[in-house]
Amino acid sequence: MVVMDLPATALDRIILATSTGGDHMTPSTANAVAAALGLDDTCDAFDLNNACVGFLTGLDLAARGVATGAGPTVVIGAELFS
C-alpha cells in the first residue's frame, strides 16, 4: 500500500473496486466515501464491479488517468465474500 501525505482535498478521483457491487446501487459507494471526506463537488467517484480482477482494473484506470493528466487518485478494494 502506498500512503502519501496528501489532504483529501487533493484527490481528483475515487475508484471503489468491488466484487459485490458496493453497499447500494445508487448513489455509488464511492460517492458516499467522497461525501464522507467532504469532496462532494471537488472530485469524481465511481464504483467498479469487475469480480476478482476489479482492483487490478481500478489500478489500471487510475494509472491511465494520472498519465493523461488527472490528479491524485485513490483506489479502494472492498468485498464482503471473505
Side-chain angles (χ1 to χ4, degrees):
M1 172 177 21
V2 176
V3 177
M4 303 180 90
D5 191 20
L6 291 174
T9 54
L11 292 175
D12 268 1
R13 179 171 293 151
I14 297 171
I15 302 170
L16 185 125
T18 178
S19 297
T20 57
D23 290 341
H24 36 78
M25 294 301 291
T26 186
S28 72
T29 305
N31 287 343
V33 171
L37 293 173
L39 305 175
D40 291 338
D41 298 324
T42 61
C43 76
D44 62 331
F46 60 91
D47 289 357
L48 172 66
N49 186 357
N50 197 18
C52 296
V53 296
F55 181 79
L56 293 176
T57 305
L59 191 60
D60 181 61
L61 285 170
R64 291 169 189 266
V66 170
T68 58
T73 300
V74 65
V75 180
I76 303 167
E79 57 92 16
L80 299 174
F81 293 135
S82 54

